[in-house]
Amino acid sequence: MSLVLAVYGKGGIGKSTTSANISAALALKGAKVLQIGCDPKHDSTFPITGKLQKTVIEALEEVDFHHEELSPEDIIETGFAGIDGLEAGGPPAGSGCGGYVVGESVTLLQEMGLYDKYDVILFDVLGDVVCGGFSAPLNYADYSIIIATNDFDSIFAANRLCMAIQQKSVRYKVQLMGIVANRVDYNTGGGTNMLDQFAGQVGTRLLAKVPYHELIRRSRFAGKTLFAMEPNEPGLAECLAPYNEIAEQILSQTPLASVPKPIGDREIFDIVGGWQ
């Protein structure tokens, strides 16, 4: 049975780039990985496949939404290090629910028996608002990982995600493995002080700290994971280290994880305001 991860985080903070590099690190350590993009912009797997692949919703439209007419080859592309990629996609803007499409994709994977064919399945999920559809991967996940930056908006979203994980854990096995601090820039006086305090407050930890580095941005636009960049790139070792660290923790026999204890929406304004 696959180890299932659900990666969430506020939109626009590099969640998909982080997910793709975690997948790459896992694959290079010998794991067979499926990464599933659960955002209507369907670019989660772009660094892995080097293209915007056909989405589940597009494939379903071609067969008039008859699930039984689709095979894994219709919706899965194989890319870097043998990683398989799938994109849920979404309806045209203003015409439907993206969360519903995610739920349909989860059901389709189950019907195809794909949960038994991988070592790790990583869901990369839109995380600003956790509605029923976008929270569907938590029903299947062993662990969730939150991507966050050291600012209030990101931490507020992370706290809402902790609420969703706590609620799901009542009926399902999901636990929070931890928070990945992304775009950490010590050169400009930044750090992870707010994230460190938030993690302690909700009963979790920082899994790793990903630096704010131009190489990460360039790799994304090149349609590559960091692991596919030229080995002599300045700063490459520094950028790769946190992804390898995360992969090692995921593949360990007993990853540390817990059910978070989120803060109330109004309370977090007062608490986080005092951390700045």
Side-chain angles (χ1 to χ4, degrees):
M1 188 69 176
S2 303
L3 178 71
V4 180
L5 304 171
V7 179
Y8 286 85
K10 180 184 176 297
I13 61 167
K15 176 175 53 62
S16 292
T17 301
T18 303
S19 294
N21 282 301
I22 292 173
S23 290
L26 289 166
L28 291 172
K29 292 181 184 300
K32 180 61 178 172
V33 181
L34 171 65
Q35 179 168 319
I36 303 169
C38 299
D39 190 317
K41 71 179 185 294
H42 60 92
D43 64 345
S44 173
T45 59
F46 177 61
I48 294 166
T49 64
K51 64 179 180 180
L52 291 180
Q53 68 181 86
K54 181 187 291 185
T55 67
V56 168
I57 195 69
E58 288 170 337
L60 284 170
E61 285 174 343
E62 291 175 358
V63 296
D64 199 24
F65 291 88
H66 292 149
H67 289 201
E68 69 280 1
E69 294 185 23
L70 290 181
S71 67
E73 292 74 23
D74 295 320
I75 55 174
I76 291 175
E77 295 273 355
T78 302
F80 176 77
I83 302 167
D84 283 347
L86 180 149
E87 293 283 354
S95 66
C97 174
Y100 169 77
V101 176
V102 173
E104 285 292 286
S105 299
V106 168
T107 300
L108 188 59
L109 291 173
Q110 196 171 29
E111 291 175 354
M112 291 179 172
L114 293 178
Y115 286 101
D116 298 321
K117 296 184 177 179
Y118 294 91
D119 297 312
V120 180
I121 295 178
L122 186 152
F123 286 92
D124 171 19
V125 196
L126 179 67
D128 287 276
V129 179
V130 183
C131 70
F134 286 120
S135 69
L138 293 174
N139 299 349
Y140 298 88
D142 296 285
Y143 304 106
S144 183
I145 293 173
I146 296 173
I147 313 298
T149 50
N150 195 56
D151 62 78
F152 175 77
D153 288 347
S154 180
I155 290 173
F156 186 86
N159 188 61
R160 296 283 292 175
L161 292 164
C162 286
M163 291 179 181
I165 295 163
Q166 182 189 54
Q167 183 182 55
K168 289 289 187 180
S169 71
V170 175
R171 294 183 59 192
Y172 302 100
K173 61 185 175 181
V174 64
Q175 292 184 307
L176 178 61
M177 188 178 289
I179 299 169
V180 176
N182 199 32
R183 298 177 179 170
V184 179
D185 189 1
Y186 294 107
N187 294 326
T188 59
T192 60
N193 62 313
M194 292 172 64
L195 278 174
D196 285 319
Q197 292 178 79
F198 170 73
Q201 187 82 26
V202 299
T204 189
R205 62 191 172 125
L206 296 191
L207 284 174
K209 299 178 181 182
V210 178
Y212 185 77
H213 202 288
E214 173 67 10
L215 180 59
I216 298 175
R217 188 192 70 84
R218 285 199 291 111
S219 68
R220 174 74 182 181
F221 282 110
K224 296 180 178 180
T225 69
L226 277 168
F227 295 86
M229 298 296 280
E230 292 297 324
N232 58 351
E233 288 276 10
L236 181 60
E238 173 193 359
C239 293
L240 291 178
Y243 300 117
N244 282 318
E245 181 182 350
I246 295 165
E248 288 168 4
Q249 293 181 71
I250 291 169
L251 295 175
S252 66
Q253 291 297 315
T254 54
L256 293 175
S258 61
V259 175
K261 301 176 178 63
I263 306 164
D265 275 351
R266 291 179 176 83
E267 184 185 1
I268 198 171
F269 276 87
D270 296 330
I271 293 176
V272 177
W275 290 342
Q276 297 182 55

